[in-house]
Amino acid sequence: MKNTYNLRSIAAKAITQVLEQGQSLSTVIPELQQKVSDKDKALLQEICFGVMRVLPQLEWFISQLMAKPLKGKQRIFHYLIMVGIYQLIYTRIPAHAVLAETVNGATNLKRPQLKGVINGVLRQFQRQQQELIERTNNKHLHPKWLLERIQKAYPQNWQTIVDANNQKPPMWLRVNQFHHTAKEYLALLEEANIEAELDTNHLSAIRLLNPCPVSTLPGFSQGWVTIQDRSAQGCAELLEPRDGESILDLCAAPGGKTTHILEIAPKSKVLAIDIDEQRIKRVKENLQRLNLHAVVKTGDGRLPHEWAADERFDRILLDAPCSATGVIRRHPDIKWLRRNEDINQLVTLQSEILEAIWPYLKRNGTLVYATCSILPQENSEQIKAFLARHPDAVLSKTGNSDTPGTQIIPEATGGDGFFYARLTKQ
């Protein structure tokens, strides 16, 4: 690809789509990465995710450097300046290259008359950088409502959670036991000069000391390994699927847990359901790469009669729609896309799905309710209320009646924030 694009202007477009139009980075980035060369894809992602991670800090810097903010049709140039400041602080790109490329972004965005303004602001930041960084008071980098919810739920260790949210996430692998044990695959990584370590709490989990492209992982295209966080791997492990069983994976996209179920119990009969038709394609792609089979359908978890007919399941994994507050380090735009009022709406949706699907679990069957949230309303409180309504539901292996379920909080070198509750039907 001939390098005729300007990477900084593309990054500014991505940030505009997220902050002004409410789109997610996971939707925006793959589309825009098609416009850049392979060597620039990682940098585009680094800039966009990095800006989202430290957004309040960058906003404050610009407020100190400009008397009047850029608004309306000029708003994208506000984000272009942000892209420039982020690079000056957080990347090793030489300052002269940052300034030249970011200023030239104005031409690509068809406003060359703004080059002087952008250049002036970035040079002023360079001169005052140390002083501004010392004066900034945005160390938490979370919206106020979310910070208050985390502090209320975790009065002792909220700071640990916030700090973990603001870091880059570790890269975890799930080794496909059909092909290798985790220990055997670790040896293959060592041969490929990829530093990694085993996780003793999970049979298939390996953490890379430095993230790398999947193309460099031994046997990735042959299905030897899958990218999946350690905490997410706990879902299928807790479900304990067995060959011959009928298993429902509800809210299954993008299919990491579906494939894990089939790696553990290859002769089980798995139905994978998700409401999002686009994301259902990812489930099919993951099954194909790993050479596994499941029945995959688009469907609403609240309306199982539409897709389950008279079928009943031995095991159900419900990876419920949630605030995703446990995976902010992987998706830092969540901090700015999520709203306080969303939480109650999500709690209602989770409850509706749980109520709808419970009759489809066989007697003595197992249901694992999971979220990638750290908020009690979606997790322990949700399950406590469900248990109170359903005398035939019994908690097993996870928590107790006062605080049902197992809550994991994000840790720098550990897994993401996650919640599991395992219920058995009497």
Side-chain angles (χ1 to χ4, degrees):
M1 182 188 290
K2 193 179 176 187
N3 191 349
T4 54
Y5 56 86
N6 178 278
L7 185 76
R8 280 72 184 175
S9 66
I10 293 172
K13 281 180 187 173
I15 293 159
T16 304
Q17 284 176 264
V18 173
L19 297 177
E20 301 296 322
Q21 298 165 24
Q23 298 187 50
S24 71
L25 277 179
S26 55
T27 302
V28 169
I29 292 288
E31 291 175 12
L32 292 177
Q33 280 180 327
Q34 294 172 22
K35 299 181 179 182
V36 307
S37 67
D38 287 346
K39 72 178 179 65
D40 277 345
K41 285 177 179 173
L43 179 58
L44 177 62
Q45 183 162 321
E46 153 71 15
I47 290 172
C48 294
F49 277 70
V51 166
M52 292 299 162
R53 206 167 274 125
V54 298
L55 186 69
Q57 183 191 51
L58 300 175
E59 290 281 17
W60 185 81
F61 289 149
I62 294 175
S63 75
Q64 302 301 299
L65 297 165
M66 298 183 75
K68 285 167 59 177
L70 295 165
K71 293 183 176 177
K73 289 183 177 178
Q74 293 189 337
R75 190 66 178 162
I76 193 169
F77 299 96
H78 175 89
Y79 299 127
L80 184 62
I81 292 168
M82 213 177 255
V83 163
I85 294 175
Y86 175 80
Q87 293 170 88
L88 288 170
I89 304 173
Y90 293 104
T91 72
R92 295 178 181 177
I93 301 167
H96 66 87
V98 169
L99 263 70
E101 289 295 317
T102 307
V103 169
N104 283 337
T107 303
N108 288 68
L109 294 169
K110 300 184 170 51
R111 284 284 207 293
Q113 64 270 33
L114 286 174
K115 286 172 76 171
V117 173
I118 294 165
N119 185 56
V121 173
L122 292 179
R123 288 192 180 279
Q124 191 183 345
F125 176 77
Q126 272 189 296
R127 288 191 293 271
Q128 300 179 28
Q129 181 169 340
Q130 199 55 44
E131 180 210 336
L132 285 169
I133 288 172
E134 286 170 5
R135 280 174 51 210
T136 184
N137 190 28
N138 291 292
K139 60 182 178 179
H140 299 317
L141 304 172
H142 281 56
K144 186 170 181 283
W145 71 267
L146 180 55
L147 187 64
E148 287 173 354
R149 277 188 181 264
I150 295 171
Q151 288 171 330
K152 184 179 177 184
Y154 303 94
Q156 304 302 319
N157 55 348
W158 65 269
Q159 186 74 57
T160 307
I161 294 169
V162 168
D163 289 346
N165 285 349
N166 293 336
Q167 292 172 10
K168 293 179 184 179
M171 185 170 176
W172 285 93
L173 309 180
R174 186 188 82 225
V175 178
N176 187 342
Q177 301 282 322
F178 282 162
H179 299 283
H180 305 92
T181 64
K183 200 170 183 180
E184 288 167 348
Y185 194 79
L186 186 68
L188 293 174
L189 289 172
E190 285 173 5
E191 284 175 27
N193 293 317
I194 297 171
E195 290 185 282
E197 61 184 24
L198 293 174
D199 184 284
T200 52
N201 295 317
H202 296 270
L203 182 68
S204 305
I206 292 178
R207 183 175 69 87
L208 301 188
L209 300 195
N210 296 294
C212 68
V214 294
S215 57
T216 63
L217 296 172
F220 180 80
S221 58
Q222 295 103 291
W224 292 3
V225 70
T226 294
I227 312 303
Q228 189 181 41
D229 183 77
R230 179 181 79 171
S231 297
Q233 293 183 39
C235 294
E237 292 170 352
L238 186 61
L239 188 68
E240 295 182 335
R242 293 173 189 165
D243 285 337
E245 290 182 331
S246 179
I247 299 171
L248 171 63
D249 184 8
L250 189 53
C251 310
K257 300 175 187 73
T258 313
T259 54
H260 196 190
I261 289 167
L262 285 161
E263 285 174 15
I264 296 170
K267 292 178 182 174
S268 59
K269 179 187 168 193
V270 175
L271 172 62
I273 299 287
D274 200 274
I275 198 167
D276 189 329
E277 207 156 323
Q278 286 303 113
R279 296 185 77 226
I280 274 286
K281 291 176 185 172
R282 296 274 310 281
V283 180
K284 292 175 179 176
E285 287 167 6
N286 279 317
L287 286 163
Q288 190 173 6
R289 182 178 67 84
L290 292 159
N291 197 26
L292 296 168
H293 175 73
V295 176
V296 182
K297 292 183 184 179
T298 306
D300 188 326
R302 296 168 294 184
L303 306 170
H305 61 276
E306 292 184 353
W307 43 262
D310 297 325
E311 191 166 0
R312 296 295 179 267
F313 301 94
D314 297 291
R315 295 179 200 265
I316 296 174
L317 172 58
L318 169 53
D319 185 11
C322 72
S323 61
T325 44
V327 292
I328 284 172
R329 60 186 183 177
R330 294 193 188 280
H331 306 281
D333 50 332
I334 286 167
K335 292 187 287 188
W336 320 115
L337 292 175
R338 192 70 70 225
R339 298 285 177 267
N340 193 26
E341 56 270 22
D342 294 344
I343 307 306
N344 285 343
Q345 292 169 13
L346 285 163
V347 168
T348 300
L349 175 60
Q350 293 154 1
S351 178
E352 287 172 353
I353 296 173
L354 261 173
E355 288 295 330
I357 204 63
W358 186 247
Y360 288 78
L361 181 67
K362 292 178 184 176
R363 194 174 173 192
N364 298 318
T366 297
L367 182 146
V368 170
Y369 172 89
T371 75
C372 54
S373 168
I374 56 168
L375 302 180
Q377 295 89 337
E378 301 177 86
N379 297 339
S380 56
E381 291 176 20
Q382 179 74 266
I383 295 302
K384 197 170 186 177
F386 183 80
L387 289 167
R389 295 193 302 269
H390 290 271
D392 61 342
V394 178
L395 193 68
S396 65
K397 294 193 175 185
T398 48
N400 55 56
S401 57
D402 289 332
T403 52
T406 300
Q407 181 70 66
I408 298 169
I409 61 169
E411 293 175 339
T413 58
D416 291 336
F418 232 89
F419 175 84
Y420 328 97
R422 175 174 152 141
L423 306 175
T424 303
K425 192 175 201 177
Q426 286 189 326

